[in-house]
Amino acid sequence: MKLNLLPTHVSKEAATRSAWIVAVIIFVVFLVGSIGLINKGNRDYNDSREGIDQLEAAAKTAKDTGDAADTVIAQSTTLLRNASLAQAMIDHNGTYPALYDEVKKYIPSFYRVNSMSAQSNGAGQATVTLVGVLQTDQQYADLMLALLRWNKVTSISRGGFVPTNMYVPALTPDDQIGKPIHPGDAPIPDDPYKRQDYYLAKGGVTGYLGQNNYGTGEQGSVGPKPGASEVTVTMVIKDNLQTPDPRATLAAGGAAAPAGGGGGPAGAGGNLPTTPTSAPAPPSASSGSDQGSVSRIGRGRRGASEDDSSD
């Protein structure tokens, strides 16, 4: 049996000395780590501040650029509106000629057109009127079929044809058979003597009539020849013939001009009276999307007449 005869404080002193050494080492390690973390936090904080300053500078530059752009746009509202108006008027110059070229494709050759006109009925609708000459009732019926080939036509009407074909009238005391006569003629009597007087009354010598300037060789509009009729055709079509409204557009541009004077022809546009029209009022110039908007007159204008002397 081995006995430990040393005092107890002698064995604990070595353990205590080791514990203090370990504690000091741990403290130093934590101290160094804390100092490193503090330094890293300071560096990250400084880097973040520098990034924030750069972003603030970029944001300020972007805001200044946006404010400058808004100023330029506000000052250019009148110019953009006037430019859009001018372009719309230039584009509209070919609207009616293009419409006439299109409708002529569907006019049959037997219909001699003396005049052609168009009238806007508002957005998406217009009226085309043709005035020409026909000779027979069959042509009168075929004309409608020919014009209805145009896919823009929504409704069509006609008028003015005077029938000249012979027909059988109702029986009368003098005509118990029903002899064919021309429109406007009296019934032909059955009695031979009365019938002789009837034809003698209709007889006579007729020279050249020169009716409606037909065949005279003179300059001017040529109407229907004897036996023919002047027929008017009215078609309602799906098309937009609205004319740009300069007065309403310039008035809207003058009202939207920035304070201090907008310059240009529309600078005093706010003092112009508006054109009476059934079209809706132009949109407010306060929104950025309508700076170049152009008002249009819903009723349009009447197209110029177009002569066609072909038979």
Side-chain angles (χ1 to χ4, degrees):
M1 181 177 180
K2 185 177 179 180
L3 297 175
N4 187 4
L5 300 178
L6 293 175
T8 56
H9 70 274
V10 174
S11 60
K12 292 181 178 181
E13 183 178 356
T16 302
R17 189 167 50 249
S18 300
W20 276 105
I21 294 172
V22 173
V24 170
I25 292 173
I26 293 174
F27 175 76
V28 172
V29 170
F30 276 100
L31 179 62
V32 173
S34 299
I35 295 174
L37 291 175
I38 292 172
N39 291 335
K40 184 178 183 304
N42 290 333
R43 287 195 302 270
D44 293 343
Y45 175 76
N46 294 331
D47 293 342
S48 299
R49 289 297 306 174
E50 292 177 358
I52 292 174
D53 293 340
Q54 293 177 357
L55 293 176
E56 287 180 348
K60 184 177 183 304
T61 302
K63 182 178 183 304
D64 293 341
T65 303
D67 293 341
D70 291 341
T71 302
V72 172
I73 292 175
Q75 294 175 349
S76 303
T77 298
T78 301
L79 177 62
L80 293 175
R81 188 180 299 275
N82 291 351
S84 299
L85 172 63
Q87 187 60 47
M89 296 179 70
I90 292 173
D91 294 340
H92 191 270
N93 287 337
T95 301
Y96 282 87
L99 177 65
Y100 295 149
D101 290 339
E102 185 176 3
V103 69
K104 284 196 299 185
K105 300 176 184 177
Y106 303 96
I107 298 176
S109 59
F110 56 78
Y111 184 49
R112 176 167 59 84
V113 177
N114 290 332
S115 68
M116 179 187 306
S117 62
Q119 173 74 38
S120 174
N121 297 341
Q125 190 179 79
T127 300
V128 177
T129 303
L130 306 177
V131 180
V133 176
L134 291 176
Q135 297 187 26
T136 66
D137 53 354
Q138 186 62 53
Q139 292 177 350
Y140 188 57
D142 292 343
L143 175 62
M144 302 292 283
L145 298 177
L147 293 176
L148 283 173
R149 295 178 300 156
W150 194 13
N151 58 1
K152 289 185 177 181
V153 175
T154 58
S155 65
I156 186 170
S157 61
R158 59 186 174 175
F161 182 75
V162 179
T164 58
N165 295 338
M166 298 183 70
Y167 71 101
V168 177
L171 300 181
T172 65
D174 290 334
D175 180 16
Q176 293 293 313
I177 299 177
K179 303 177 184 65
I181 59 175
H182 288 283
D185 290 345
I188 301 175
D190 292 334
D191 183 85
Y193 296 104
K194 291 183 178 180
R195 188 163 61 250
Q196 179 179 356
D197 294 336
Y198 173 88
Y199 284 119
L200 288 175
K202 290 177 62 66
V205 179
T206 303
Y208 174 64
L209 299 178
Q211 180 177 337
N212 297 324
N213 204 32
Y214 186 89
T216 62
E218 301 293 335
Q219 295 292 330
S221 177
V222 178
K225 66 181 181 180
S229 301
E230 186 174 72
V231 176
T232 300
V233 178
T234 303
M235 296 179 290
V236 178
I237 64 172
K238 295 179 293 185
D239 206 342
N240 186 16
L241 302 181
Q242 284 185 301
T243 305
D245 190 350
R247 181 168 296 179
T249 302
L250 294 179
N271 296 327
L272 291 173
T274 57
T275 301
T277 173
S278 59
S284 172
S286 60
S287 61
S289 61
D290 72 326
Q291 291 169 358
S293 63
V294 177
S295 301
R296 292 182 178 271
I297 302 177
R299 60 182 179 278
R301 65 173 176 82
R302 191 148 187 95
S305 297
E306 179 175 311
D307 293 332
D308 185 354
S309 59
S310 61
D311 291 330

